[in-house]
Amino acid sequence: MNKQNILIIGGGPAGLTAAYELCKHNIQPILLEKDDKVGGISRTEQYKGYRFDIGGHRFYTKIVQIQQLWEEMLGEEFIKVPRLSRIYYRHCFFNYPLSIFNTLKNLGLIESLLILLSYVKSHFKPLHPEDTFEQWVTNRFGKRLYLTFFKTYTEKVWGIPCDQIQADWAAQRIRGLSLKVAIHNALFGSKGEKSLIEEFHYPIHGPGMMWERFQQKIEQLGGTVQLNSKISALHHHDGHIQSVTVSQNQKNEDVQSHHVISSMPLSQLIFLLDPPAPEAIRVAAEKLKYRDFILVGLIIDHSNIFLDNWIYVHNPDVKVGRVQNFKNWSPAMVADPKKTTLGMEYFCNQGDSLSKMSDAALIQLATQELNQLDLTGNNQVEDGFVYRQPKAYPVYDSVYRENLETIRDYLKQFDNLQTIGRNGMHRYNNQDHSMLTGMLAVRNLVYGEQHDLWEVNTKRSYYEEFTTKE
C-alpha cells in the first residue's frame, strides 16, 4: 500500500492525525492543504511577534490515545493552564460554571427565585417535541434562565433564532447538564471526582505549534505535506475516486488516488466531483450552512487586564461574542511582557454587513466595544490586526440533518473515500474527536476494520460538566 497514493485533503487536526498514523504504518501519504500553513482553524497566527489563537483551543480529552499523541509531540512544551472563564452580562461577571453565591449576588434574590420557579415549571411541564435548542435548554434550565443566559449569546454566535437551531447541537455540546446538576455541583462539587474544567493543556506557543510539529514528524517519516494546494476536482468512475486535480502556483496536476481521506467541507466536496453529483445531492449540499469567524487581535498597553483566559459576552448591545486574553493562556504568546493581547471574536455569514467591513473598520469596532464593556479601564489599544476564518462552524439549522443524510447516503457508493473532521462530517467536533475520526479512518484502511466514523462524538460526549475518576 505504501507504493500507492493515499491522499489526505486538509491539514487540520483530523487530516494531520490521519497522515501521521499512516506514516507510523510505513505508508507515506500525500497531504494537500490549501493554506500556507497547517492547523486549519486550530492554527496560530502571528503579528509583529505576537501570537493569536484563532478561537481559543483548549487541549483536553478522555481519549487516552489522543492525550498520548499530544504529549508525544510536545513533551514539556505542552503546559498545564489553570482555567478561568466568566460570563459578562448586565455589567456583571458571572462565574462559569455556575457559582450559587456569585449568581445570587449579581441577579438578586427575587430574580434568582423567579429563575428557580421557572425551572420547576419546566420540570413538571416540559416542552414536547424537543426538536430545537430553545426547547432543549428550556426543559433543563427553565424559560427564564434560558432567556437570561443562553438566548442572546447563542444567537450572536449562530446568527439565527434559537428556535431554528436543532437540539442536536445542545445535546452534543452540553449533554447531561441541567439546572439541578449545576446547582448540586456548585454547592457540593462532584464527590470522588475531579473536574476537567479546572485546568487544561496548551502548547506553549499556541495550538499551531502542535500541528506544525505533526507536519515535521510526517515529513521525517517520509510523508508529504503540500501547502498552497487547492483541490479543483475529484475524478471518479464506478464508485471509485481515480484521481484528484490539485492547483498549485497557477498550475494543475492530476494525482492518482488509491484512497482519499477528506476533511474539506462536505458541500465543497460534492461540487468538486467529476462527473458531477446528481442534482438532488448538489441541492442538499447547497443547503448545508456554515458560520464564519473573525478574530480582531488587539495589543493593549498594559501588562495585566483581567485574570480570565476568556470572557463570554452576553450583552446584546455589542456584536463581540467572546474576548480571549492570550497572555493568560501562555505568557509566551505575548512578545512584550509589558503588553497584553486580546482576541475580540465576531461571528458572521458570508456577505453580511460584518463580513464586508474593512480591517480598519473592524479594529475600530472592536476598540469601541472594548471601551463600551469597560474591560480594560483606561488602558490604550496600541495596534490591531484582523484574521478571517470562513466555514468555521457547521450550522445545525432546521434542514441540516435531512440534507446531511442525503449526502452521507450518496457518498457510501465510493469504495475509497472517507470523510473526517469537523467540516468533513459537518459536525461541531472538538479537536480530539476530529483527531479520533482520522485515527479510525486509518484503521479502516490499514486493518480493514469497519468503524463508523459518524458515530464518533454521539455517545462519547464530554464537555464542561464532564468529570473523570481520580
Side-chain angles (χ1 to χ4, degrees), residues 2-274:
N2 61 334
K3 294 180 180 180
Q4 303 287 344
N5 280 353
I6 311 298
L7 305 183
I8 298 173
I9 300 174
L16 288 164
T17 301
Y20 182 58
E21 291 295 303
L22 285 168
C23 286
K24 290 195 296 184
H25 288 90
N26 196 31
I27 301 169
Q28 287 76 40
I30 301 172
L31 187 149
L32 303 164
E33 167 57 47
K34 66 181 178 62
D35 290 322
D36 61 357
K37 60 172 69 72
V38 296
I41 195 176
S42 298
R43 66 204 292 170
T44 301
E45 290 291 328
Q46 292 195 47
Y47 177 74
K48 296 184 177 179
Y50 294 89
R51 292 179 168 86
F52 293 85
D53 184 344
I54 310 302
H57 288 84
R58 287 169 291 160
F59 286 72
Y60 63 98
T61 186
K62 289 287 291 181
I63 306 168
V64 174
Q65 297 92 330
I66 301 296
Q67 184 68 34
Q68 290 173 341
L69 259 186
W70 287 341
E71 293 176 0
E72 173 188 340
M73 289 293 165
L74 294 182
E76 294 182 358
E77 296 174 301
F78 197 43
I79 62 175
K80 283 188 176 180
V81 180
R83 171 187 165 154
L84 174 62
S85 64
R86 293 178 292 173
I87 294 170
Y88 191 71
Y89 179 64
R90 294 180 180 174
H91 303 289
C92 295
F93 284 103
F94 291 80
N95 293 342
Y96 183 71
L98 179 69
S99 167
I100 294 298
F101 299 110
N102 168 258
T103 304
L104 283 171
K105 177 183 176 182
N106 287 335
L107 290 179
L109 181 60
I110 293 176
E111 179 64 21
S112 298
L113 287 174
L114 290 173
I115 286 173
L116 186 59
L117 289 172
S118 176
Y119 165 73
V120 171
K121 178 181 177 181
S122 68
H123 180 72
F124 287 103
K125 292 184 178 180
L127 299 173
H128 293 294
E130 193 178 82
D131 293 332
T132 69
F133 177 87
E134 179 177 299
Q135 293 165 334
W136 194 97
V137 174
T138 298
N139 283 347
R140 286 157 183 79
F141 293 90
K143 186 69 174 253
R144 200 173 188 95
L145 191 61
Y146 156 73
L147 292 172
T148 301
F149 284 119
F150 288 89
K151 187 177 190 297
T152 299
Y153 179 76
T154 303
E155 291 182 353
K156 192 182 291 188
V157 171
W158 294 107
I160 56 177
C162 287
D163 61 3
Q164 294 180 25
I165 301 172
Q166 293 301 282
D168 303 32
W169 183 81
Q172 181 183 338
R173 302 296 292 188
I174 51 178
R175 179 187 302 182
L177 192 60
S178 67
L179 185 60
K180 179 181 177 181
V181 172
I183 291 174
H184 181 276
N185 290 344
L187 287 174
F188 307 110
S190 300
K191 187 177 179 181
E193 297 178 344
K194 180 180 178 181
S195 173
L196 286 175
I197 65 172
E198 296 172 359
E199 63 179 12
F200 54 89
H201 279 90
Y202 195 69
I204 195 168
H205 288 133
M209 181 184 189
M210 176 70 74
W211 314 120
E212 290 161 10
R213 192 65 55 83
F214 264 84
Q215 178 183 356
Q216 294 169 10
K217 294 279 189 180
I218 291 164
E219 292 174 336
Q220 288 171 5
L221 293 171
T224 299
V225 177
Q226 193 168 304
L227 303 176
N228 300 304
S229 299
K230 183 179 179 180
I231 307 303
S232 301
L234 291 93
H235 307 282
H236 63 95
H237 176 71
D238 197 22
H240 191 85
I241 307 294
Q242 296 176 312
S243 66
V244 172
T245 300
V246 183
S247 300
Q248 187 182 44
N249 299 324
Q250 298 181 333
K251 294 182 180 180
N252 290 339
E253 178 186 5
D254 284 342
V255 182
Q256 300 300 307
S257 55
H258 173 76
H259 195 89
V260 176
I261 300 175
S262 172
S263 64
M264 73 162 61
L266 268 183
S267 56
Q268 184 179 349
L269 173 68
I270 292 300
F271 283 101
L272 292 179
L273 290 173
D274 176 32

